[in-house]
Amino acid sequence: MNALAAFHLRAAAIYVALGMVAGIVMAASQHFEYGPAHGHLNLLGFASAAIYGLVLKDRPDLAATRLAKVHAILAHLGLVVMTIGLTLMFSGDAATGEPLAKAGSVIVLLGGLAFIALVFKATGPRTA
């Protein structure tokens, strides 16, 4: 398996463990206001990163591109920044959390656009 696919799959495994722990802590403490951070961690962290890893495992030629590396940086950096921002925001520190959540969201969006470009590259007609 190529290194970038392995990176995404390992990150997905870490994100799902963190998401599960966050869900258990939320339930045990009855602090469900952290639900958006928990949800984003599981969906963007676990589900999306796993998909990224499986796509790049199947297409090592794409994993070797600069765009795939840029996508990985944007996707994971954006998720971390957004999750921290959402957690702070719902902890009552909107002054710090909201700008981080917004910045993280934009970074995730840029990563998503990079992934779209990778998908179109992978599914477009091949030249001989």
Side-chain angles (χ1 to χ4, degrees), residues 31-37 84-94 97:
H31 283 282
F32 297 107
E33 65 270 20
Y34 300 110
I84 291 169
L86 288 170
T87 302
L88 290 171
M89 198 167 76
F90 291 108
S91 293
D93 186 1

Side-chain angles (χ1 to χ4, degrees), residues 59 61-62 117-128:
R59 292 293 304 269
D61 58 313
L62 290 177
L118 286 169
V119 167
F120 273 76
K121 186 174 182 168
T123 59
R126 293 189 183 201
T127 57

Side-chain angles (χ1 to χ4, degrees), residues 30-75:
Q30 299 292 303
H31 283 282
F32 297 107
E33 65 270 20
Y34 300 110
H38 163 72
H40 282 82
L41 186 61
N42 282 319
L43 182 60
L44 289 174
F46 170 61
S48 294
I51 291 168
Y52 303 151
L54 293 174
V55 167
L56 295 179
K57 178 182 179 285
D58 186 53
R59 292 293 304 269
D61 58 313
L62 290 177
T65 66
R66 184 172 188 265
L67 181 59
K69 291 170 183 64
V70 168
H71 161 258
I73 291 166
L74 291 171

Side-chain angles (χ1 to χ4, degrees), residues 94-106:
T96 305
E98 191 172 345
L100 286 174
K102 287 179 179 179
S105 297
V106 171

Side-chain angles (χ1 to χ4, degrees), residues 13-26 38 41-42 46:
I14 291 167
Y15 293 140
V16 76
L18 292 173
M20 287 181 200
V21 169
I24 291 167
V25 170
M26 279 187 344
H38 163 72
L41 186 61
N42 282 319
F46 170 61

